[in-house]
Amino acid sequence: MATMHYLFLGVLSVAVLLLGGFGNRPVVEHNVPSSSYEQVAVHYGASELSSSVNFRERIVDIARHEMAVKEATGNNDGPRVEEYLAYTGLGKGHAWCAAFVSWCYGKAGLPAPRNAWSPALFPLARSYTKEQIQSGVVRRADLFAIYNQKLGRIDHVGIVQKMERNWILTVEGNVNNGVLSKRRSLATIYAFSNWLD
């Protein structure tokens, strides 16, 4: 039953992407209740919305402030996890790495990405080419993808904090039941995308 549920969500997400502009629009509009993070959103007011550099710093700052978040029972649940999921139209119990990334971008004042399905955050128009990646264009607040051979698709996404030669430092959700920072080898990264430029 759970497999059918995920299959349905996958098919639905692809249909929404194809009909709705490749992941640039939310599946469902929600008024997410105010949270303790509202003060950060207020701190970064409209006067600072002029450049992608400010957005990049803001997104990473928001993500880093979430690093204490843990699931309540280890089943993709808990107040903050459910807030990430609600931002993308889902309830507790679903994988939430893409919802976390979308929530961080939303808290920074950006309408997109806003999708809970990790492959949707890597449309061709927003993904870096291999040559671009090798030339070092990946920047702070870009997204990275991990590919799952068994599933035959991207199944994890996170935010780039910093790129150093053959490594990236990340902030990512739904890892070890929480939000954390990891150091990942570039050899393990399947794709990068840029939602800011």
Side-chain angles (χ1 to χ4, degrees):
M1 183 69 171
T3 303
M4 291 301 294
H5 177 74
Y6 287 115
L7 179 61
F8 172 75
L9 283 176
V11 170
L12 178 63
S13 295
V14 170
V16 168
L17 287 173
L18 293 175
L19 296 174
F22 294 95
N24 290 339
R25 297 183 188 124
V27 175
V28 178
E29 285 290 342
H30 282 281
N31 290 327
V32 177
S34 295
S35 69
S36 61
Y37 213 88
E38 232 20 75
Q39 56 187 265
V40 173
V42 171
H43 170 72
Y44 296 114
S47 63
E48 296 182 46
L49 301 180
S50 60
S51 85
S52 73
V53 173
N54 287 337
F55 274 121
R56 289 181 184 282
E57 294 303 316
R58 195 167 333 148
I59 291 162
V60 171
D61 185 49
I62 289 166
R64 287 175 48 97
H65 277 87
E66 295 297 299
M67 289 199 307
V69 171
K70 289 284 193 189
E71 294 176 5
T73 67
N75 293 307
N76 297 331
D77 60 354
R80 187 59 121 202
V81 171
E82 291 169 38
E83 186 176 330
Y84 305 147
L85 287 164
Y87 183 76
T88 58
L90 295 177
K92 71 179 178 179
H94 296 277
W96 52 275
C97 60
F100 168 72
V101 167
S102 296
W103 182 90
C104 290
Y105 272 64
K107 283 295 179 188
L110 296 162
R114 191 170 185 173
N115 201 310
W117 197 50
S118 51
L121 302 184
F122 296 88
L124 191 55
R126 296 211 174 263
S127 294
Y128 288 115
T129 65
K130 185 176 182 178
E131 292 77 24
Q132 288 173 314
I133 294 166
Q134 290 173 342
S135 72
V137 300
V138 175
R139 292 179 287 166
R140 193 168 172 84
D142 283 339
L143 305 182
F144 72 90
I146 303 294
Y147 189 85
N148 183 314
Q149 291 289 340
K150 187 176 176 182
L151 295 176
R153 66 168 176 85
I154 293 169
D155 79 338
H156 185 68
V157 60
I159 298 171
V160 175
Q161 271 193 83
K162 184 178 183 181
M163 190 162 175
E164 295 177 340
R165 292 193 278 206
N166 296 326
W167 298 90
I168 60 170
L169 185 63
T170 71
V171 180
E172 47 195 287
N174 205 16
V175 176
N176 296 332
N177 300 327
V179 177
L180 53 82
S181 178
K182 290 187 82 167
R183 186 173 185 243
R184 291 186 177 268
S185 166
L186 279 181
T188 67
I189 307 302
Y190 178 74
F192 290 96
S193 65
N194 177 352
W195 285 85
L196 295 167
D197 301 317

